[in-house]
Amino acid sequence: MNWFQDARYAVRTLSKAPGFTLVAILTLALGIGANIAVFSLVDEIWLRPRPVPHPEQIVRIFTSDPQAEGVIAQGYNSYPDYEDIARRAQSFSAVSMMDRRGAMLTTGDESVLLHVAIVSPNFFDMMQETPAVGRNFTQAEATTPGARVVLLSYPFWVQQFNADRSLPGHTIRLDKQDVLVAGVLPRGFRSAGPGEVPQVWMPETTWKALTKDFFRDIRGRRAYDIFARLKPGVTLKQANAEVAAIGGALAKEFPATNAHRDMTAVSESEVRAGETTGIMKALLAISCLVLLIACANVASLLLARAEYRRHEVATRVALGASRGQLFRQMIVETVVLGVAASGVALLVGVNLVSALPALIPHPLTTAVDTHMDARVFLFALLAAFVSMLFFGVVPAWQAVR
């Protein structure tokens, strides 16, 4: 009952100072809302694990690339090297390939350059991924010369085709040719790198039908990503040792193209984290600084207000209020202020999160699929709680003193 009475009194007190209350709520809401938006971006690109079964089993295989200025440890692979790894390695249940290209989408009189991923026939089976809408391309479609079939990424499907669920089974125009849309990949599915979500995925046969350009037989052309799934019970260390041995054997068999090139297997999560750690940490640090500044501003307002309320506090002490009761009252006012600010912050955060993809320059627009979910909502609650601690406790204690 005492807490309820304190809450009623806090609402009544804050309503008598609308200017102070509005400024404090908006200051906190903007700080918390900005943090919600930044966290949704960082979570989408950096923190969230690949949404496939047993993502810890997914590894990337790299071939080092000696350069004049030094060795690039995580270089691309050639297609013949991919075939040799797939044939010789025993540590993996499946090995697959991905290449990146571009294709023109034609809709009416408009043409748009798309980011295309070309994958081996077993890529999605290796990922154990099922389309959210429609179906995967079949083994026959992925291996029959002349077949034209594609899958679309979820954000591209939403932005370009308004999430039309009837699209699978119909054709779109790529490079002035009709290709069949088999399905749409699940939301959150991404490819090789953080922030990299190709709009269109297709098997090698479709790419050859469109352009007849793939360089399968050139061992010296290194442009391909190799993904693999560890067999149950096989450790990354064991797989890495086997891949290194295969790389050493290929260096002896093909010295003209593979000499002084080492092969390594790296967990997919480590690769993703390593590519974006600096940028993501900087974004988080900046957003936390913004929230800290907002909390400091509100704390300053509360300290000034405590000075203004000195007579009120002295009167309540004279009437018998204890220091604990006064401190509780001040904390309750802080909580009421924080709850109101959190509600506004959620509205600000939701709008910022939905607007983020449009604020990111092309061609990364469809690579970012930020949205409010349970993880972002929990972060919002945590940010609100921490904010209340930062801006509320010290002013309350100072007011009581």
Side-chain angles (χ1 to χ4, degrees), residues 106-126:
T106 303
T107 54
D109 297 330
E110 182 181 346
S111 295
V112 181
L113 179 63
L114 302 183
H115 180 188
V116 176
I118 307 164
V119 295
S120 51
N122 69 335
F123 183 84
F124 293 106
D125 290 336
M126 185 273 295

Side-chain angles (χ1 to χ4, degrees), residues 14-15 83 92 119 176 193 244 256 260 284 296 310 325 331 353:
L14 292 172
S15 64
E83 292 180 315
F92 309 113
V119 295
K176 300 181 180 181
H260 310 296
L284 284 176
R310 178 184 292 271
Q325 289 173 320
I331 288 296
V353 167

Side-chain angles (χ1 to χ4, degrees), residues 334-376:
T334 296
V335 171
V336 170
L337 199 61
V339 169
S342 299
V344 178
L346 280 175
L347 295 177
V348 173
V350 167
N351 285 279
L352 286 176
V353 167
S354 60
L356 269 179
L359 299 176
I360 296 174
H362 186 78
L364 294 177
T365 302
T366 55
V368 176
D369 184 26
T370 53
H371 55 282
M372 288 292 292
D373 58 11
R375 291 165 64 94
V376 179

Side-chain angles (χ1 to χ4, degrees), residues 62-204:
F62 297 98
T63 300
S64 64
D65 185 10
Q67 300 286 335
E69 59 274 13
V71 177
I72 300 175
Q74 296 184 354
Y76 291 111
N77 308 275
S78 70
Y79 198 95
D81 285 350
Y82 150 68
E83 292 180 315
D84 286 328
I85 293 171
R87 184 170 54 253
R88 301 183 189 188
Q90 302 298 314
S91 300
F92 309 113
S93 58
V95 180
S96 60
M97 173 281 307
M98 190 188 82
D99 189 15
R100 305 173 186 81
R101 299 295 180 91
M104 296 298 296
L105 170 71
T106 303
T107 54
D109 297 330
E110 182 181 346
S111 295
V112 181
L113 179 63
L114 302 183
H115 180 188
V116 176
I118 307 164
V119 295
S120 51
N122 69 335
F123 183 84
F124 293 106
D125 290 336
M126 185 273 295
M127 288 291 182
Q128 299 178 10
E129 190 61 84
T130 303
V133 182
R135 60 174 179 84
N136 196 351
F137 44 73
T138 65
Q139 185 70 16
E141 289 170 329
T143 55
T144 302
R148 292 177 173 84
V149 60
V150 297
L151 295 173
L152 305 183
S153 73
Y154 190 96
F156 175 65
W157 173 62
V158 171
Q159 294 176 23
Q160 184 69 36
F161 299 101
N162 297 315
D164 182 5
R165 300 186 70 87
S166 66
L167 182 62
H170 293 79
T171 60
I172 59 175
R173 295 282 290 179
L174 284 181
D175 288 345
K176 300 181 180 181
Q177 300 183 53
D178 289 332
V179 295
L180 176 70
V181 177
V184 179
L185 291 168
R187 186 172 199 165
F189 183 82
R190 60 176 67 259
S191 61
E196 181 185 357
V197 181
Q199 290 104 320
V200 176
W201 300 70
M202 63 177 64
E204 303 168 39

